[in-house]
Amino acid sequence: MKKSFSSIIILLCALSACSSSDADDARDMNQPIISEEGIIANPVECQQYHPGDVIPVQYVFTDDVELGQYNIEIHNNFDHHTHSGSAVDCELDMKKEAGDKAWIFNQDFTIPAGQRTYTTHIDIPIPSDAETGDYHFMIRLTDRAGWQQLKAIAIKIK
């Protein structure tokens, strides 16, 4: 009896050591959402920019428990590879090899703790000497539990 009472006490201590954050992570079984609802989203499929322009980024992120962070990556699509099943087919330039001025952007952004909804407003400057052609704009949104959503958009720098 004394041994099982000790086991119960140890079990209760272990359970009370779990924080509500651990419980939230355990119940979060859904990917976060990248949405265009209620805003003028940017960029959108097939949008064109010029070297020296700024890409104003605006999307709404939501999660059922808590958002974590997001990453924005921009890289060339000179070889016409794909990342997602977009319903929109943008007109592509001829395939080509990337030169020294092919633009690459890759940056992580933290979402303030406790957020279930967050609207991003970021301006990304395109280098004035960026090589023109087809590019992919990608957002990877991760919630606090580690679930991820990817949105890949075809853009063009002319």
Side-chain angles (χ1 to χ4, degrees), residues 19-138:
S19 70
S20 62
S21 297
D22 295 336
D24 288 345
D25 287 347
R27 70 174 184 187
D28 187 352
M29 301 302 295
N30 298 307
Q31 292 178 313
I33 297 169
I34 301 168
S35 173
E36 301 174 13
E37 277 194 43
I39 61 167
I40 298 173
N42 201 69
V44 295
E45 291 283 355
C46 309
Q47 198 157 8
Q48 295 186 11
Y49 299 93
H50 303 282
D53 283 355
V54 170
I55 299 175
V57 179
Q58 183 167 298
Y59 286 95
V60 175
F61 304 146
T62 59
D63 188 64
D64 58 337
V65 178
E66 185 176 347
L67 293 163
Q69 66 177 15
Y70 62 102
N71 170 276
I72 295 178
E73 177 186 341
I74 303 169
H75 62 265
N76 76 72
N77 184 25
F78 300 163
D79 63 356
H80 299 174
H81 66 274
T82 61
H83 291 282
S84 67
S86 173
V88 177
D89 287 328
C90 303
E91 186 177 326
L92 297 172
D93 293 346
M94 291 181 56
K95 288 184 180 182
K96 66 178 184 177
E97 291 291 321
D100 291 344
K101 299 296 181 174
W103 181 39
I104 297 174
F105 178 90
N106 191 337
Q107 187 172 344
D108 294 325
F109 300 89
T110 301
I111 297 171
Q115 302 296 307
R116 290 184 180 194
T117 301
Y118 182 80
T119 302
T120 182
H121 299 279
I122 296 175
D123 289 333
I124 300 175
I126 301 170
S128 59
D129 61 350
E131 186 171 353
T132 59
D134 300 303
Y135 282 81
H136 283 143
F137 175 94
M138 298 174 47

